[in-house]
Amino acid sequence: MGFDNNRVVVTGVGMITAAGKNVSETWKKVVSGETAIDKITRFDYEALNFKVSLAAEIKDFEPELYVEEKKEVRRMDRYCQYALAAVHEAVMSSGLDFKNDDKLDKTRCGVIFGSGIGGMETLETEIAKYNINNNSDNNANKKGATRVSPLYIPMLIANIAAGHISIKYGLEGYGFCPVTACATGAHAVGEAYRAIKHGYADIMVAGGSEAAVTPTAVAGFQNTTTMSVSGDKNNALVAFDKRRNGFIIGEGGGALILESYNSAKARGAKIYGEVLGYCANFDAYHITAPHPEGKGAANAMRLAVKDAGINQDKIGYINAHGTGTQLNDKTETAAIKSAFGSNAYNIPVSSTKGVVGHMLGAAGAVEAIFCLNAISDSILPPTANLREFDPECDLDNIALTAREKKIDCAMSASLGFGATNAVLVFGKI
């Protein structure tokens, strides 16, 4: 094995978001700028006295379409179900038959798939059962410990989605589960790229999923004051806008099939694009706030472009992290300026979170696919709801309406709690 410097291409894509059950449905809404954000239905936010009332929830989801045995649906947290839904589409679009193709070396096919939070719904359900069944003055009647499900831990932990993917498709190769908050999906794609580039695998399933529209998760984010408390779905998550006041949580999953160029060509696979570069680093500044000058993010952008082996002026579009918080948007703007210098003003930038919400651990994978679509379709998606430009966010922000433009390379930036950054560069092939 060792460093072989393989070219790495994308041969499959899949996603499930509040805007659509697949890539094409979601992309159509992203390009139109039609938001999927709406009132929370997972819990009664009014009765619980929440300030936050909006989320980007997936409606009418049928996990049985993606989980072969119905009883297994009850044994999975929603975030795992979303993972399998996204991977199903990615595998189908790749033309790979992991189960029946005897020519595939399963020890060279791996999984890097993560979640920023993991099974929050399971966590809340099981703790509630524990507490309710211990609500007695009589010690003999305290049965909370016996009421907790034996599947509690397997459903809760963040690496179980990767495990389910590996088991379902029989993938025995290189893999693990990154847990890096909002950068998780991007780190998964980047590390899968490196696994193939450096010769540890031929084919990788990569991505992230999240299902954190739950009372304690929303309450926790709400109380960090990073969430929008607007009740107007069309003016809640307003990235790079002077009126921005926080993010709106979204849920779902995104998955990509990464493959060595030689493997893809040998089997005549459709190639969606090439992964050219990647960088992961830290701000080393604060656990939730970005560096005020965007220092870590800027370095990640520079190093991702260097890894791609291209000139900076080849970047034709940046899908920004763009959460709609006061701090993120102005510091991310500063990071782009620092990384690209005067050329920063020549690069179109947008945030797609105004449509699908902030999908946390799934965001980086979903936004990576948006970059691939932007390259292949020559359409740069807009920032939904961007109407009042902020002098602190003064780049070429694409507002409201998609822009037709042929580009060869696109960048996706993901910045997470814990001062962690991940930047990916994709190219046309």
Side-chain angles (χ1 to χ4, degrees), residues 254-279:
L256 295 85
I257 306 297
L258 272 57
E259 190 167 353
S260 72
Y261 177 75
N262 290 338
S263 171
K265 290 298 287 183
R267 67 181 186 88
K270 176 182 177 179
I271 295 176
Y272 291 83
E274 184 170 4
V275 188
L276 296 175
Y278 163 63
C279 180

Side-chain angles (χ1 to χ4, degrees), residues 278-334:
Y278 163 63
C279 180
N281 72 356
F282 284 99
D283 279 4
Y285 174 72
H286 189 274
I287 59 170
T288 58
H291 189 282
E293 298 172 3
K295 185 177 178 181
N299 284 337
M301 292 173 188
R302 290 189 196 96
L303 291 171
V305 171
K306 183 178 180 180
D307 187 47
I310 60 174
N311 293 326
Q312 287 187 343
D313 60 6
K314 290 293 184 181
I315 300 296
Y317 166 66
I318 297 175
N319 186 290
H321 192 57
T323 57
T325 64
Q326 281 290 329
L327 287 178
N328 177 91
D329 293 5
K330 71 177 182 180
T331 58
E332 190 172 11
T333 299

Side-chain angles (χ1 to χ4, degrees), residues 8-214:
V8 181
V9 296
V10 178
T11 56
V13 291
M15 68 174 66
I16 180 166
T17 73
K21 302 294 196 306
N22 53 48
V23 173
S24 62
E25 286 180 9
T26 301
W27 180 239
K28 184 177 180 180
K29 285 196 175 180
V30 166
V31 169
S32 71
E34 181 185 349
T35 188
I37 292 168
D38 212 335
K39 295 295 184 181
I40 293 172
T41 64
R42 292 267 188 268
F43 59 89
D44 191 340
Y45 62 87
E46 290 182 313
L48 294 171
N49 200 29
F50 273 68
K51 296 178 182 177
V52 170
S53 61
L54 299 173
E57 298 176 340
I58 294 172
K59 306 290 178 60
D60 304 318
F61 176 58
E62 299 178 75
E64 296 81 6
L65 296 175
Y66 313 103
V67 182
E68 292 177 359
E69 295 185 36
K70 289 187 178 181
K71 68 177 181 179
E72 287 301 310
V73 172
R74 299 190 300 273
R75 296 168 177 246
M76 291 183 192
D77 188 90
R78 192 187 299 268
Y79 94 93
C80 285
Q81 297 169 6
Y82 292 156
L84 289 178
V87 171
H88 174 81
E89 183 187 7
V91 171
M92 293 296 289
S93 70
S94 74
L96 288 163
D97 187 352
F98 288 119
K99 290 187 177 180
N100 301 308
D101 188 347
D102 294 333
K103 294 179 182 178
L104 283 175
D105 182 353
K106 298 294 185 65
T107 66
R108 300 280 299 169
C109 302
V111 181
I112 301 181
F113 203 98
S115 177
I117 297 179
M120 277 300 297
E121 196 168 65
T122 296
L123 177 69
E124 293 186 16
T125 299
E126 297 304 319
I127 287 178
K129 284 197 289 186
Y130 178 87
N131 287 335
I132 289 169
N133 288 284
N134 275 348
N135 190 20
S136 171
D137 293 332
N138 186 342
N139 287 336
N141 291 331
K142 293 184 185 296
K143 299 179 180 180
T146 64
R147 298 292 189 262
V148 173
S149 170
L151 294 170
Y152 174 38
I153 301 303
M155 290 174 68
L156 165 69
I157 53 180
N159 71 304
I160 287 298
H164 278 299
I165 295 163
S166 169
I167 292 165
K168 179 175 180 178
Y169 295 101
L171 309 180
E172 303 172 25
Y174 184 87
F176 60 93
C177 165
V179 180
T180 51
C182 310
T184 297
H187 278 131
V189 174
E191 295 302 323
Y193 151 75
R194 284 185 175 170
I196 296 172
K197 182 178 180 180
H198 293 189
Y200 297 109
D202 298 320
I203 299 171
M204 296 292 297
V205 179
S209 63
E210 208 75 85
V213 185
T214 70

